Amino acid sequence: MSVDTMSAVNGIRTRVLSTIAGQLGNPHGTLGKGFAVMLNRGNKRAIAGAVDAADIAAGATVGFGGGAGLSMLLERVGTNGTVHGFEISPSMLTRAKSKFAAEIGTGRMQLAPGSMTDLPLSDDALDSAITVNTVYFVPDLAAAFAELVRVVRPGGSLVVGIGDPDVMAKMPFTAYGFTLRPVAGVIAALEGAGCTVDHKQLADPPIPHHLLVARPA
Ligand SMILES: C[S@@+](CC[C@H](N)C(=O)[O-])C[C@H]1O[C@@H](n2cnc3c(N)ncnc32)[C@H](O)[C@@H]1O
C-alpha cells in the first residue's frame, strides 16, 4: 500500500470513529435514529440493572437521561408515580416525546431538554435517578454529581452506570471524545458529592458494567 493510500485509509478511519463517538455523545439526524435503536438494544441489560438497583417504589418520582429505561421506570413507579427525563439531544427528546405521547398527556411522564450539570428541577425533587453510559460525555464530573445530588432527596437513590473502563478503552471509537475514568475515581466523585456508594457489577457481555448505587446523605 502506498503512503498516500495509507494516509487516505487512516483519514477515513478517523472520520468514521469520530462520527460514531459523536453520535453516542449526542445522537442526531438520520444516523441518530439508528444509534438510538442500537443503544436501546445493546444497553438494555445495563439499564435494567440500574433500574433494579435504584429500588424504586410505586408512586416515586424518578429522573432519567435518555434511552430504553423510560418504559422500565414507568412500570416501576406505577400509575401514581412520575418519570422525568432529561436529554441534551433534541433528536432523542423528539423520539421519546412521540413514543410516550400518552403518558406525557396524563402527566405520568415529563420530558425536557436538560444537561445533568443543570437540571430544571427544584432541590430534592426526585426519590431516585439513574444515568447509564452518559458520564463519559461530561467533562466536569464533580459539577454533574453535585447537580444530581441536589435534585435527589436525602436517602433516595442515584444509580450511575458505566461500562468497564478497560473494556471500553479497547473500543476504537472511545478515543474520539469519550472520557473514560477509573471506577474508583467515579466512586470518589460520588462520595465527594456527599453520597455513600454501593458498587455492583454486571459481568454480562457485550460490555461488563459497573453500577454505582449512591445515596445522598
Ligand atoms: C451512549 S448514550 C447512552 C444512552 C442510554 N442511557 C444507554 O445506556 O443506552 C449517551 C446519551 O447521553 C446523552 N448525554 C450526553 N451528555 C449529556 C448530559 N450532559 N446530560 C444529559 N444527557 C447527556 C446523549 O445525548 C446520549 O443520548
Side-chain angles (χ1 to χ4, degrees), residues 24-27 39 43 47 66 87-89 115-116 132-134 137:
L24 291 171
N26 186 343
L39 282 167
N43 293 328
I47 297 167
E87 247 297 342
I88 57 160
S89 158
S115 166
M116 71 181 94
V132 180
N133 293 320
T134 53
F137 310 107

